[in-house]
Amino acid sequence: GGGGGNEPQGREGFLSKIPFFKFFTNSKFSVSNVNKYYVGVKPQPTLIPVSSRRRSIVMQGLRPHSPRKVAFTLAEVLITLGIIGVVAAMTMPMLIAKHQKITTVAQLQKAYSTLSQAFTMAQKDYGDISQWEFKPENPENGDSQSLQDALDIFANRYLIPYLRVVTLCKGGNQAKQDCTYSWYTPSGQEINFVYSSNNDNYRFILNNTNMIMLAYDNYQGDFSMGSVLIYVDINGLQKPNTFGKDVFVMNLRSNADKLKMFGEGLPRDTLLNRSTWGCADTGRTTNTAIYCGALIQNDGWQIKDDYPWF
């Protein structure tokens, strides 16, 4: 109501009406002075609302002194990729060629080892090579039938029984076309060994894809020495079918004691540069670069930098 003007107002007036607080309102311990004399109460920390704290944390991440994240621009990425592409274009051909050379040497060495082992086993059964009967009956004129008969004996008696043959193509009129495909000289000229009635070679394919062709060596027109040329395509029908790359020549003579790479034992310069059969020779249309296998063998079964890797 409208009380007298001497009645305490506000919070203190309200408390003074309660008996418990009358003592304090009538003494020096008034409500307004409680904080002065109430010893032992520590001031309470001010509480900050959660929402305010979150805003403070977020703002700290935007302060000027915070570390900046570094990234490449699109231009920098494109320039880097361009440099990598140029380097790859320059080095990839060399790496591919090196791999091809290593693979070629491994396949050639394996083919030579396989055929050498076959002839070694044949010698255990038939004695020294000098006693083998594979010379043509009429060597003086190179009679085709005589050559075919001699090659048939040579292949089926001294070689094929000791190998794993998957395709037997033979030669002459009995030849199958499974082994007929073109070979090439290092210069790219085609050499097509087409079977015919007077064909004097003999072919078969091994289980490791080696294609073997046997032919009599009539060097200087002399068949009497009993020399058989053994052409080996180390990867069969697969390209490049080129002398010096995957076609190599070996040789077995009746006066020898083992299979040899054709040209084995000749000086290195002859194997590389001889104008007729040298590995670097590309001018002939037949039997060109047939010393390449012997050159690889001479160099410790490796293809050196001066090898004409066409």
Side-chain angles (χ1 to χ4, degrees), residues 132-162:
W132 291 3
E133 299 176 358
F134 63 90
K135 295 180 181 180
E137 292 181 1
N138 301 308
E140 65 279 356
N141 58 14
D143 177 69
S144 296
Q145 185 59 48
S146 176
L147 292 176
Q148 290 175 15
D149 293 341
L151 285 177
D152 186 271
I153 293 174
F154 179 86
N156 289 283
R157 180 181 299 176
Y158 306 116
L159 189 55
I160 290 178
Y162 308 97

PDB file of all heavy atoms in Angstrom, residues 132-162:
ATOM      1  N   TRP A 132      78.569 -89.882 -87.959  1.00  0.00           N
ATOM      2  CA  TRP A 132      77.145 -89.791 -88.275  1.00  0.00           C
ATOM      3  C   TRP A 132      76.934 -89.854 -89.786  1.00  0.00           C
ATOM      4  O   TRP A 132      77.725 -89.320 -90.565  1.00  0.00           O
ATOM      5  CB  TRP A 132      76.553 -88.507 -87.732  1.00  0.00           C
ATOM      6  CG  TRP A 132      76.486 -88.462 -86.220  1.00  0.00           C
ATOM      7  CD1 TRP A 132      76.949 -89.406 -85.342  1.00  0.00           C
ATOM      8  CD2 TRP A 132      75.945 -87.401 -85.432  1.00  0.00           C
ATOM      9  NE1 TRP A 132      76.718 -89.020 -84.053  1.00  0.00           N
ATOM     10  CE2 TRP A 132      76.095 -87.775 -84.069  1.00  0.00           C
ATOM     11  CE3 TRP A 132      75.348 -86.187 -85.715  1.00  0.00           C
ATOM     12  CZ2 TRP A 132      75.672 -86.975 -83.015  1.00  0.00           C
ATOM     13  CZ3 TRP A 132      74.921 -85.385 -84.672  1.00  0.00           C
ATOM     14  CH2 TRP A 132      75.078 -85.776 -83.328  1.00  0.00           C
ATOM     15  N   GLU A 133      75.861 -90.457 -90.170  1.00  0.00           N
ATOM     16  CA  GLU A 133      75.556 -90.624 -91.599  1.00  0.00           C
ATOM     17  C   GLU A 133      74.479 -89.625 -92.027  1.00  0.00           C
ATOM     18  O   GLU A 133      73.286 -89.924 -92.060  1.00  0.00           O
ATOM     19  CB  GLU A 133      75.077 -92.053 -91.854  1.00  0.00           C
ATOM     20  CG  GLU A 133      76.106 -93.123 -91.497  1.00  0.00           C
ATOM     21  CD  GLU A 133      75.545 -94.522 -91.668  1.00  0.00           C
ATOM     22  OE1 GLU A 133      74.348 -94.632 -92.029  1.00  0.00           O
ATOM     23  OE2 GLU A 133      76.285 -95.486 -91.428  1.00  0.00           O
ATOM     24  N   PHE A 134      74.923 -88.433 -92.357  1.00  0.00           N
ATOM     25  CA  PHE A 134      73.950 -87.437 -92.823  1.00  0.00           C
ATOM     26  C   PHE A 134      74.453 -86.648 -94.034  1.00  0.00           C
ATOM     27  O   PHE A 134      73.882 -85.632 -94.400  1.00  0.00           O
ATOM     28  CB  PHE A 134      73.579 -86.457 -91.689  1.00  0.00           C
ATOM     29  CG  PHE A 134      74.718 -85.620 -91.162  1.00  0.00           C
ATOM     30  CD1 PHE A 134      75.003 -84.383 -91.731  1.00  0.00           C
ATOM     31  CD2 PHE A 134      75.483 -86.052 -90.099  1.00  0.00           C
ATOM     32  CE1 PHE A 134      76.030 -83.598 -91.241  1.00  0.00           C
ATOM     33  CE2 PHE A 134      76.511 -85.274 -89.601  1.00  0.00           C
ATOM     34  CZ  PHE A 134      76.791 -84.041 -90.172  1.00  0.00           C
ATOM     35  N   LYS A 135      75.500 -87.157 -94.702  1.00  0.00           N
ATOM     36  CA  LYS A 135      75.979 -86.506 -95.909  1.00  0.00           C
ATOM     37  C   LYS A 135      75.101 -86.900 -97.096  1.00  0.00           C
ATOM     38  O   LYS A 135      74.642 -88.040 -97.184  1.00  0.00           O
ATOM     39  CB  LYS A 135      77.432 -86.896 -96.190  1.00  0.00           C
ATOM     40  CG  LYS A 135      78.419 -86.405 -95.132  1.00  0.00           C
ATOM     41  CD  LYS A 135      79.836 -86.835 -95.501  1.00  0.00           C
ATOM     42  CE  LYS A 135      80.842 -86.372 -94.455  1.00  0.00           C
ATOM     43  NZ  LYS A 135      82.219 -86.796 -94.801  1.00  0.00           N
ATOM     44  N   PRO A 136      74.877 -85.976 -98.014  1.00  0.00           N
ATOM     45  CA  PRO A 136      74.098 -86.314 -99.215  1.00  0.00           C
ATOM     46  C   PRO A 136      74.799 -87.396-100.046  1.00  0.00           C
ATOM     47  O   PRO A 136      76.026 -87.487-100.067  1.00  0.00           O
ATOM     48  CB  PRO A 136      74.042 -84.989 -99.978  1.00  0.00           C
ATOM     49  CG  PRO A 136      74.329 -83.941 -98.956  1.00  0.00           C
ATOM     50  CD  PRO A 136      75.269 -84.569 -97.977  1.00  0.00           C
ATOM     51  N   GLU A 137      73.995 -88.205-100.740  1.00  0.00           N
ATOM     52  CA  GLU A 137      74.575 -89.278-101.551  1.00  0.00           C
ATOM     53  C   GLU A 137      75.286 -88.743-102.778  1.00  0.00           C
ATOM     54  O   GLU A 137      76.266 -89.322-103.235  1.00  0.00           O
ATOM     55  CB  GLU A 137      73.464 -90.254-101.987  1.00  0.00           C
ATOM     56  CG  GLU A 137      72.869 -91.042-100.825  1.00  0.00           C
ATOM     57  CD  GLU A 137      71.803 -92.012-101.311  1.00  0.00           C
ATOM     58  OE1 GLU A 137      71.561 -92.054-102.541  1.00  0.00           O
ATOM     59  OE2 GLU A 137      71.221 -92.709-100.472  1.00  0.00           O
ATOM     60  N   ASN A 138      74.775 -87.657-103.313  1.00  0.00           N
ATOM     61  CA  ASN A 138      75.386 -87.073-104.510  1.00  0.00           C
ATOM     62  C   ASN A 138      75.816 -85.626-104.220  1.00  0.00           C
ATOM     63  O   ASN A 138      75.224 -84.682-104.749  1.00  0.00           O
ATOM     64  CB  ASN A 138      74.403 -87.083-105.687  1.00  0.00           C
ATOM     65  CG  ASN A 138      73.953 -88.490-106.028  1.00  0.00           C
ATOM     66  OD1 ASN A 138      74.785 -89.386-106.219  1.00  0.00           O
ATOM     67  ND2 ASN A 138      72.649 -88.702-106.087  1.00  0.00           N
ATOM     68  N   PRO A 139      76.787 -85.444-103.382  1.00  0.00           N
ATOM     69  CA  PRO A 139      77.143 -84.098-102.973  1.00  0.00           C
ATOM     70  C   PRO A 139      77.743 -83.253-104.080  1.00  0.00           C
ATOM     71  O   PRO A 139      77.724 -82.032-104.023  1.00  0.00           O
ATOM     72  CB  PRO A 139      78.177 -84.331-101.862  1.00  0.00           C
ATOM     73  CG  PRO A 139      78.773 -85.659-102.190  1.00  0.00           C
ATOM     74  CD  PRO A 139      77.654 -86.456-102.785  1.00  0.00           C
ATOM     75  N   GLU A 140      78.254 -83.909-105.132  1.00  0.00           N
ATOM     76  CA  GLU A 140      78.947 -83.144-106.159  1.00  0.00           C
ATOM     77  C   GLU A 140      78.017 -82.233-106.955  1.00  0.00           C
ATOM     78  O   GLU A 140      78.422 -81.200-107.451  1.00  0.00           O
ATOM     79  CB  GLU A 140      79.707 -84.079-107.110  1.00  0.00           C
ATOM     80  CG  GLU A 140      78.822 -85.002-107.942  1.00  0.00           C
ATOM     81  CD  GLU A 140      78.375 -86.230-107.184  1.00  0.00           C
ATOM     82  OE1 GLU A 140      78.800 -86.408-106.035  1.00  0.00           O
ATOM     83  OE2 GLU A 140      77.599 -87.010-107.766  1.00  0.00           O
ATOM     84  N   ASN A 141      76.729 -82.633-107.085  1.00  0.00           N
ATOM     85  CA  ASN A 141      75.829 -81.794-107.877  1.00  0.00           C
ATOM     86  C   ASN A 141      74.676 -81.214-107.046  1.00  0.00           C
ATOM     87  O   ASN A 141      73.810 -80.538-107.581  1.00  0.00           O
ATOM     88  CB  ASN A 141      75.253 -82.589-109.059  1.00  0.00           C
ATOM     89  CG  ASN A 141      74.513 -83.840-108.585  1.00  0.00           C
ATOM     90  OD1 ASN A 141      74.211 -83.990-107.406  1.00  0.00           O
ATOM     91  ND2 ASN A 141      74.250 -84.754-109.525  1.00  0.00           N
ATOM     92  N   GLY A 142      74.676 -81.462-105.747  1.00  0.00           N
ATOM     93  CA  GLY A 142      73.632 -80.892-104.895  1.00  0.00           C
ATOM     94  C   GLY A 142      72.250 -81.360-105.264  1.00  0.00           C
ATOM     95  O   GLY A 142      71.301 -80.565-105.286  1.00  0.00           O
ATOM     96  N   ASP A 143      72.106 -82.631-105.598  1.00  0.00           N
ATOM     97  CA  ASP A 143      70.806 -83.182-105.977  1.00  0.00           C
ATOM     98  C   ASP A 143      69.776 -82.900-104.872  1.00  0.00           C
ATOM     99  O   ASP A 143      69.994 -83.201-103.698  1.00  0.00           O
ATOM    100  CB  ASP A 143      70.939 -84.690-106.202  1.00  0.00           C
ATOM    101  CG  ASP A 143      69.609 -85.330-106.520  1.00  0.00           C
ATOM    102  OD1 ASP A 143      69.074 -85.066-107.600  1.00  0.00           O
ATOM    103  OD2 ASP A 143      69.111 -86.076-105.645  1.00  0.00           O
ATOM    104  N   SER A 144      68.630 -82.328-105.256  1.00  0.00           N
ATOM    105  CA  SER A 144      67.632 -81.904-104.272  1.00  0.00           C
ATOM    106  C   SER A 144      67.103 -83.074-103.467  1.00  0.00           C
ATOM    107  O   SER A 144      66.967 -82.987-102.243  1.00  0.00           O
ATOM    108  CB  SER A 144      66.473 -81.178-104.975  1.00  0.00           C
ATOM    109  OG  SER A 144      66.925 -79.981-105.576  1.00  0.00           O
ATOM    110  N   GLN A 145      66.813 -84.179-104.148  1.00  0.00           N
ATOM    111  CA  GLN A 145      66.271 -85.325-103.425  1.00  0.00           C
ATOM    112  C   GLN A 145      67.303 -85.887-102.457  1.00  0.00           C
ATOM    113  O   GLN A 145      66.977 -86.288-101.347  1.00  0.00           O
ATOM    114  CB  GLN A 145      65.839 -86.416-104.414  1.00  0.00           C
ATOM    115  CG  GLN A 145      65.143 -87.595-103.748  1.00  0.00           C
ATOM    116  CD  GLN A 145      63.892 -87.173-102.997  1.00  0.00           C
ATOM    117  OE1 GLN A 145      63.060 -86.441-103.526  1.00  0.00           O
ATOM    118  NE2 GLN A 145      63.742 -87.643-101.757  1.00  0.00           N
ATOM    119  N   SER A 146      68.533 -85.888-102.879  1.00  0.00           N
ATOM    120  CA  SER A 146      69.595 -86.357-102.004  1.00  0.00           C
ATOM    121  C   SER A 146      69.717 -85.465-100.775  1.00  0.00           C
ATOM    122  O   SER A 146      69.886 -85.943 -99.645  1.00  0.00           O
ATOM    123  CB  SER A 146      70.921 -86.387-102.760  1.00  0.00           C
ATOM    124  OG  SER A 146      71.973 -86.759-101.897  1.00  0.00           O
ATOM    125  N   LEU A 147      69.604 -84.152-100.964  1.00  0.00           N
ATOM    126  CA  LEU A 147      69.675 -83.219 -99.842  1.00  0.00           C
ATOM    127  C   LEU A 147      68.490 -83.409 -98.893  1.00  0.00           C
ATOM    128  O   LEU A 147      68.648 -83.395 -97.669  1.00  0.00           O
ATOM    129  CB  LEU A 147      69.715 -81.783-100.354  1.00  0.00           C
ATOM    130  CG  LEU A 147      70.977 -81.361-101.119  1.00  0.00           C
ATOM    131  CD1 LEU A 147      70.822 -79.950-101.646  1.00  0.00           C
ATOM    132  CD2 LEU A 147      72.205 -81.471-100.226  1.00  0.00           C
ATOM    133  N   GLN A 148      67.309 -83.592 -99.451  1.00  0.00           N
ATOM    134  CA  GLN A 148      66.121 -83.797 -98.617  1.00  0.00           C
ATOM    135  C   GLN A 148      66.241 -85.084 -97.804  1.00  0.00           C
ATOM    136  O   GLN A 148      65.922 -85.111 -96.617  1.00  0.00           O
ATOM    137  CB  GLN A 148      64.874 -83.833 -99.495  1.00  0.00           C
ATOM    138  CG  GLN A 148      64.521 -82.489-100.106  1.00  0.00           C
ATOM    139  CD  GLN A 148      63.356 -82.589-101.075  1.00  0.00           C
ATOM    140  OE1 GLN A 148      62.634 -83.588-101.088  1.00  0.00           O
ATOM    141  NE2 GLN A 148      63.170 -81.564-101.893  1.00  0.00           N
ATOM    142  N   ASP A 149      66.705 -86.140 -98.450  1.00  0.00           N
ATOM    143  CA  ASP A 149      66.867 -87.410 -97.737  1.00  0.00           C
ATOM    144  C   ASP A 149      67.899 -87.267 -96.617  1.00  0.00           C
ATOM    145  O   ASP A 149      67.706 -87.795 -95.513  1.00  0.00           O
ATOM    146  CB  ASP A 149      67.301 -88.508 -98.704  1.00  0.00           C
ATOM    147  CG  ASP A 149      66.206 -88.857 -99.711  1.00  0.00           C
ATOM    148  OD1 ASP A 149      65.028 -88.517 -99.439  1.00  0.00           O
ATOM    149  OD2 ASP A 149      66.538 -89.454-100.757  1.00  0.00           O
ATOM    150  N   ALA A 150      68.983 -86.575 -96.910  1.00  0.00           N
ATOM    151  CA  ALA A 150      70.038 -86.397 -95.912  1.00  0.00           C
ATOM    152  C   ALA A 150      69.531 -85.569 -94.727  1.00  0.00           C
ATOM    153  O   ALA A 150      69.812 -85.883 -93.570  1.00  0.00           O
ATOM    154  CB  ALA A 150      71.259 -85.741 -96.542  1.00  0.00           C
ATOM    155  N   LEU A 151      68.778 -84.511 -95.007  1.00  0.00           N
ATOM    156  CA  LEU A 151      68.233 -83.687 -93.936  1.00  0.00           C
ATOM    157  C   LEU A 151      67.204 -84.457 -93.109  1.00  0.00           C
ATOM    158  O   LEU A 151      67.113 -84.288 -91.894  1.00  0.00           O
ATOM    159  CB  LEU A 151      67.595 -82.415 -94.510  1.00  0.00           C
ATOM    160  CG  LEU A 151      68.565 -81.326 -94.980  1.00  0.00           C
ATOM    161  CD1 LEU A 151      67.791 -80.168 -95.596  1.00  0.00           C
ATOM    162  CD2 LEU A 151      69.424 -80.835 -93.818  1.00  0.00           C
ATOM    163  N   ASP A 152      66.425 -85.320 -93.780  1.00  0.00           N
ATOM    164  CA  ASP A 152      65.434 -86.129 -93.074  1.00  0.00           C
ATOM    165  C   ASP A 152      66.123 -87.065 -92.078  1.00  0.00           C
ATOM    166  O   ASP A 152      65.684 -87.226 -90.931  1.00  0.00           O
ATOM    167  CB  ASP A 152      64.609 -86.922 -94.085  1.00  0.00           C
ATOM    168  CG  ASP A 152      63.468 -87.665 -93.415  1.00  0.00           C
ATOM    169  OD1 ASP A 152      63.680 -88.817 -92.994  1.00  0.00           O
ATOM    170  OD2 ASP A 152      62.371 -87.078 -93.282  1.00  0.00           O
ATOM    171  N   ILE A 153      67.234 -87.687 -92.518  1.00  0.00           N
ATOM    172  CA  ILE A 153      68.001 -88.564 -91.624  1.00  0.00           C
ATOM    173  C   ILE A 153      68.583 -87.753 -90.469  1.00  0.00           C
ATOM    174  O   ILE A 153      68.499 -88.144 -89.307  1.00  0.00           O
ATOM    175  CB  ILE A 153      69.124 -89.279 -92.400  1.00  0.00           C
ATOM    176  CG1 ILE A 153      68.514 -90.252 -93.417  1.00  0.00           C
ATOM    177  CG2 ILE A 153      70.064 -89.997 -91.439  1.00  0.00           C
ATOM    178  CD1 ILE A 153      69.551 -90.892 -94.333  1.00  0.00           C
ATOM    179  N   PHE A 154      69.171 -86.614 -90.811  1.00  0.00           N
ATOM    180  CA  PHE A 154      69.806 -85.782 -89.798  1.00  0.00           C
ATOM    181  C   PHE A 154      68.795 -85.354 -88.730  1.00  0.00           C
ATOM    182  O   PHE A 154      69.059 -85.459 -87.522  1.00  0.00           O
ATOM    183  CB  PHE A 154      70.420 -84.543 -90.460  1.00  0.00           C
ATOM    184  CG  PHE A 154      71.090 -83.604 -89.501  1.00  0.00           C
ATOM    185  CD1 PHE A 154      72.410 -83.791 -89.118  1.00  0.00           C
ATOM    186  CD2 PHE A 154      70.403 -82.515 -88.975  1.00  0.00           C
ATOM    187  CE1 PHE A 154      73.024 -82.936 -88.228  1.00  0.00           C
ATOM    188  CE2 PHE A 154      71.014 -81.649 -88.085  1.00  0.00           C
ATOM    189  CZ  PHE A 154      72.331 -81.854 -87.718  1.00  0.00           C
ATOM    190  N   ALA A 155      67.621 -84.894 -89.190  1.00  0.00           N
ATOM    191  CA  ALA A 155      66.618 -84.381 -88.249  1.00  0.00           C
ATOM    192  C   ALA A 155      66.018 -85.482 -87.387  1.00  0.00           C
ATOM    193  O   ALA A 155      65.909 -85.344 -86.167  1.00  0.00           O
ATOM    194  CB  ALA A 155      65.525 -83.647 -89.021  1.00  0.00           C
ATOM    195  N   ASN A 156      65.633 -86.584 -88.006  1.00  0.00           N
ATOM    196  CA  ASN A 156      64.877 -87.611 -87.292  1.00  0.00           C
ATOM    197  C   ASN A 156      65.742 -88.619 -86.550  1.00  0.00           C
ATOM    198  O   ASN A 156      65.226 -89.373 -85.715  1.00  0.00           O
ATOM    199  CB  ASN A 156      63.963 -88.350 -88.278  1.00  0.00           C
ATOM    200  CG  ASN A 156      62.815 -87.461 -88.744  1.00  0.00           C
ATOM    201  OD1 ASN A 156      61.850 -87.243 -88.029  1.00  0.00           O
ATOM    202  ND2 ASN A 156      62.941 -86.937 -89.964  1.00  0.00           N
ATOM    203  N   ARG A 157      67.012 -88.629 -86.838  1.00  0.00           N
ATOM    204  CA  ARG A 157      67.891 -89.565 -86.127  1.00  0.00           C
ATOM    205  C   ARG A 157      68.709 -88.860 -85.044  1.00  0.00           C
ATOM    206  O   ARG A 157      68.834 -89.368 -83.923  1.00  0.00           O
ATOM    207  CB  ARG A 157      68.836 -90.254 -87.103  1.00  0.00           C
ATOM    208  CG  ARG A 157      69.775 -91.248 -86.428  1.00  0.00           C
ATOM    209  CD  ARG A 157      70.713 -91.889 -87.446  1.00  0.00           C
ATOM    210  NE  ARG A 157      69.994 -92.637 -88.478  1.00  0.00           N
ATOM    211  CZ  ARG A 157      70.579 -93.223 -89.521  1.00  0.00           C
ATOM    212  NH1 ARG A 157      71.905 -93.131 -89.667  1.00  0.00           N
ATOM    213  NH2 ARG A 157      69.860 -93.868 -90.418  1.00  0.00           N
ATOM    214  N   TYR A 158      69.238 -87.693 -85.350  1.00  0.00           N
ATOM    215  CA  TYR A 158      70.199 -87.071 -84.453  1.00  0.00           C
ATOM    216  C   TYR A 158      69.670 -85.854 -83.681  1.00  0.00           C
ATOM    217  O   TYR A 158      70.375 -85.352 -82.801  1.00  0.00           O
ATOM    218  CB  TYR A 158      71.444 -86.640 -85.251  1.00  0.00           C
ATOM    219  CG  TYR A 158      72.070 -87.751 -86.052  1.00  0.00           C
ATOM    220  CD1 TYR A 158      72.101 -87.699 -87.441  1.00  0.00           C
ATOM    221  CD2 TYR A 158      72.641 -88.852 -85.415  1.00  0.00           C
ATOM    222  CE1 TYR A 158      72.680 -88.718 -88.186  1.00  0.00           C
ATOM    223  CE2 TYR A 158      73.227 -89.877 -86.144  1.00  0.00           C
ATOM    224  CZ  TYR A 158      73.242 -89.806 -87.534  1.00  0.00           C
ATOM    225  OH  TYR A 158      73.815 -90.830 -88.268  1.00  0.00           O
ATOM    226  N   LEU A 159      68.479 -85.397 -84.011  1.00  0.00           N
ATOM    227  CA  LEU A 159      68.035 -84.153 -83.377  1.00  0.00           C
ATOM    228  C   LEU A 159      66.633 -84.240 -82.765  1.00  0.00           C
ATOM    229  O   LEU A 159      66.461 -84.044 -81.553  1.00  0.00           O
ATOM    230  CB  LEU A 159      68.092 -83.006 -84.414  1.00  0.00           C
ATOM    231  CG  LEU A 159      67.866 -81.582 -83.883  1.00  0.00           C
ATOM    232  CD1 LEU A 159      68.836 -81.260 -82.757  1.00  0.00           C
ATOM    233  CD2 LEU A 159      68.020 -80.577 -85.026  1.00  0.00           C
ATOM    234  N   ILE A 160      65.626 -84.528 -83.553  1.00  0.00           N
ATOM    235  CA  ILE A 160      64.236 -84.492 -83.092  1.00  0.00           C
ATOM    236  C   ILE A 160      63.966 -85.435 -81.914  1.00  0.00           C
ATOM    237  O   ILE A 160      63.224 -85.055 -80.993  1.00  0.00           O
ATOM    238  CB  ILE A 160      63.281 -84.776 -84.274  1.00  0.00           C
ATOM    239  CG1 ILE A 160      63.304 -83.582 -85.245  1.00  0.00           C
ATOM    240  CG2 ILE A 160      61.869 -85.045 -83.786  1.00  0.00           C
ATOM    241  CD1 ILE A 160      62.439 -83.759 -86.481  1.00  0.00           C
ATOM    242  N   PRO A 161      64.508 -86.652 -81.872  1.00  0.00           N
ATOM    243  CA  PRO A 161      64.229 -87.532 -80.725  1.00  0.00           C
ATOM    244  C   PRO A 161      64.661 -86.955 -79.383  1.00  0.00           C
ATOM    245  O   PRO A 161      64.182 -87.401 -78.341  1.00  0.00           O
ATOM    246  CB  PRO A 161      65.020 -88.804 -81.058  1.00  0.00           C
ATOM    247  CG  PRO A 161      65.167 -88.790 -82.544  1.00  0.00           C
ATOM    248  CD  PRO A 161      65.323 -87.350 -82.891  1.00  0.00           C
ATOM    249  N   TYR A 162      65.534 -85.950 -79.403  1.00  0.00           N
ATOM    250  CA  TYR A 162      66.057 -85.381 -78.159  1.00  0.00           C
ATOM    251  C   TYR A 162      65.476 -83.992 -77.866  1.00  0.00           C
ATOM    252  O   TYR A 162      65.967 -83.295 -76.975  1.00  0.00           O
ATOM    253  CB  TYR A 162      67.585 -85.311 -78.246  1.00  0.00           C
ATOM    254  CG  TYR A 162      68.202 -86.638 -78.643  1.00  0.00           C
ATOM    255  CD1 TYR A 162      68.555 -86.908 -79.963  1.00  0.00           C
ATOM    256  CD2 TYR A 162      68.383 -87.640 -77.694  1.00  0.00           C
ATOM    257  CE1 TYR A 162      69.103 -88.133 -80.325  1.00  0.00           C
ATOM    258  CE2 TYR A 162      68.934 -88.870 -78.044  1.00  0.00           C
ATOM    259  CZ  TYR A 162      69.290 -89.111 -79.366  1.00  0.00           C
ATOM    260  OH  TYR A 162      69.825 -90.334 -79.723  1.00  0.00           O
TER     261      TYR A 162
END
